[in-house]
Amino acid sequence: MSAAIGSAPRRPRRLLVASVAAAAALALSAGCGGADEPPAAASTSARAVSGLLPPVRAYVDAVADEDLDALAGAFAEDAVLIDVGRRFDGRDAIRAWADAEVIGGTLTVSEIVEDRPGHQRLLVRFAPGGTGGFAAHYAFTVSGSAITRAELTYAD
């Protein structure tokens, strides 16, 4: 078949379909980042875990959002936090700890390993500064709408 003068030659349908599929794949991969890049929102997996007690959810979301006020607000005024043996008494001390050591990090909740009324123990991965990181257990005791005690330890 010959093309009419002045018109573009006709392409076989398979070539057109392949071209559209390749363009779509490129467009999708451009928004997904490369294989060496971390996910754009590592906190998404933390938020995806269902069943967290509301104050624990508030803590997880505050870390993801880098919201120091919300993180401190998840704790009762007289809460206690123990971070690998270091004790922080009261919301103000917890706020100072979080400002120095938590905000800016990435927290990924892997699973709830213990769940009973007023208490949850999570297996998490925490990456200070958003890179590297380590596995840990975060145990939260909750009363009403606030965390009253948190104990953070390295996972075995």
Side-chain angles (χ1 to χ4, degrees):
M1 248 190 217
S2 63
I5 298 175
S7 67
R10 294 174 64 176
R11 293 185 179 182
R13 187 175 203 83
R14 280 184 283 174
L15 182 58
L16 179 61
V17 171
S19 297
V20 170
L26 282 173
L28 286 173
S29 68
C32 294
D36 294 336
E37 295 177 20
S43 60
T44 301
S45 61
R47 293 178 192 221
V49 171
S50 62
L52 295 177
L53 295 170
V56 175
R57 165 70 55 207
Y59 176 91
V60 168
D61 289 349
V63 174
D65 295 338
E66 298 186 15
D67 187 340
L68 182 59
D69 292 333
L71 188 148
F75 288 87
E77 190 64 43
D78 61 349
V80 171
L81 181 135
I82 300 170
D83 180 16
V84 190
R86 297 176 302 147
R87 184 181 172 112
F88 301 89
D89 290 299
R91 185 183 293 150
D92 291 339
I94 293 169
R95 179 187 178 85
W97 162 82
D99 189 29
E101 300 184 32
V102 178
I103 297 299
T106 302
L107 177 65
T108 304
V109 178
S110 301
E111 66 179 299
I112 300 170
V113 295
E114 186 179 343
D115 191 5
R116 52 188 161 89
H119 180 82
Q120 284 185 322
R121 185 169 178 244
L122 314 176
L123 175 61
V124 305
R125 180 156 192 83
F126 182 69
T131 60
F134 52 87
H137 285 115
Y138 284 19
F140 295 97
T141 302
V142 171
S143 180
S145 62
I147 298 166
T148 57
R149 181 179 179 89
E151 189 160 354
L152 318 179
T153 58
Y154 294 116
D156 298 331

